[in-house]
Amino acid sequence: MLTHWTSAGFDPDAFWGQTFGTFNAAMLGAAKHAHDAYSRVIAGAWFGEFFAREKRVKRLDEYLPKPILTEQEERAERDDGARKLLAMIRRKKAAQDAEKKEQENG
């Protein structure tokens, strides 16, 4: 955690006075700051490309990174993905079982 704290640009000595809540808030703020800075760089590059080659440029939102998710949004997205994966596995298993049963009967 200290490594993440210092890589975000925070003072290593200040790390020891943090609670889990203040650590998470500071790290989320640093991540959003980095995300915004990156978005501005990409937007500048997009405008440069737009003016240089107007007919071949993609829409700006195709170049911008996805927004950073909150912990709850990330968990919900992960849970949704896990549910979809489980449903896919169950469908595959049911298809395999049906094929096996058909082979045994046929």
Side-chain angles (χ1 to χ4, degrees):
M1 289 176 63
L2 178 58
T3 304
H4 295 297
W5 180 262
T6 55
S7 70
F10 298 123
D11 177 26
D13 292 333
F15 171 78
W16 303 108
Q18 303 303 309
T19 65
F20 285 117
T22 59
F23 174 82
N24 287 335
M27 294 306 291
L28 182 60
K32 286 185 178 186
H33 175 74
H35 177 270
D36 292 344
Y38 181 71
S39 295
R40 286 189 295 275
V41 168
I42 295 297
W46 183 86
F47 281 114
E49 177 70 14
F50 179 79
F51 290 120
R53 306 175 198 194
E54 190 172 351
K55 293 181 181 178
R56 293 191 283 166
V57 71
K58 294 179 183 178
R59 291 175 29 147
L60 175 60
D61 62 354
E62 293 183 36
Y63 294 103
L64 293 176
K66 294 180 181 178
I68 296 173
L69 302 176
T70 65
E71 189 175 325
Q72 292 83 6
E73 291 169 334
E74 186 178 331
R75 186 177 299 121
E77 189 175 279
R78 189 173 51 241
D79 290 349
D80 184 50
R83 277 192 291 278
K84 288 178 182 177
L85 178 62
L86 182 59
M88 181 189 70
I89 291 170
R90 286 180 175 161
R91 285 191 305 272
K92 272 289 205 200
K93 177 70 172 140
Q96 287 175 345
D97 290 347
E99 185 178 317
K100 185 177 180 182
K101 194 173 198 178
E102 189 176 299
Q103 287 175 355
E104 289 173 354
N105 293 335

